[in-house]
Amino acid sequence: MGASTSRIVLKHLLPNCLAPLLIYATIMVGSFIGAEATLSFLGIGLKQPVVSWGISISEGERYVRVSPHMVFFPCAFLVTAVISFVMLGEAIREALDPKLR
């Protein structure tokens, strides 16, 4: 019909791809945080001078009988962060999904 390739991409393709990419990126942030904490807990990821929830949980594991709060609080914050990013992604999906309007 005479439209240039850049016009087709900017007017039709980009608006339809932007919402799914934003949703996917938001949900994956939570997955990346969980994966980093898991690897750090196992000793494969980050090492001691760096602050990480996985390292905090690993260090608190030794003292779980004496002071369980050293494990409870890093675990609670980790779960809260991961669930928050997943729920944020779901909220963005509901807000940007044209089928739900």
Side-chain angles (χ1 to χ4, degrees):
M1 307 269 307
S4 66
T5 305
S6 61
R7 178 174 169 82
I8 293 171
V9 169
L10 290 175
K11 284 286 196 179
H12 301 286
L13 191 63
L14 192 62
N16 290 322
C17 292
L18 195 59
L21 287 176
L22 182 64
I23 295 164
Y24 181 72
T26 306
I27 292 174
M28 287 307 294
V29 168
S31 298
F32 292 149
I33 290 171
E36 182 274 324
T38 302
L39 291 174
S40 295
F41 175 76
L42 295 174
I44 301 169
L46 300 172
K47 299 300 177 198
Q48 186 55 261
V50 179
V51 177
S52 170
W53 282 322
I55 293 172
S56 298
I57 295 168
S58 178
E59 289 176 0
E61 182 185 25
R62 293 180 240 159
Y63 308 108
V64 73
R65 290 182 189 226
V66 179
S67 53
H69 66 278
M70 290 181 69
V71 175
F72 176 74
F73 286 114
C75 288
F77 290 132
L78 176 64
V79 169
T80 303
V82 171
I83 289 176
S84 297
F85 277 108
V86 171
M87 289 178 66
L88 179 65
E90 290 296 320
I92 292 172
R93 182 188 61 81
E94 288 178 8
L96 297 179
D97 192 8
K99 294 178 185 176
L100 296 176
R101 292 182 186 176

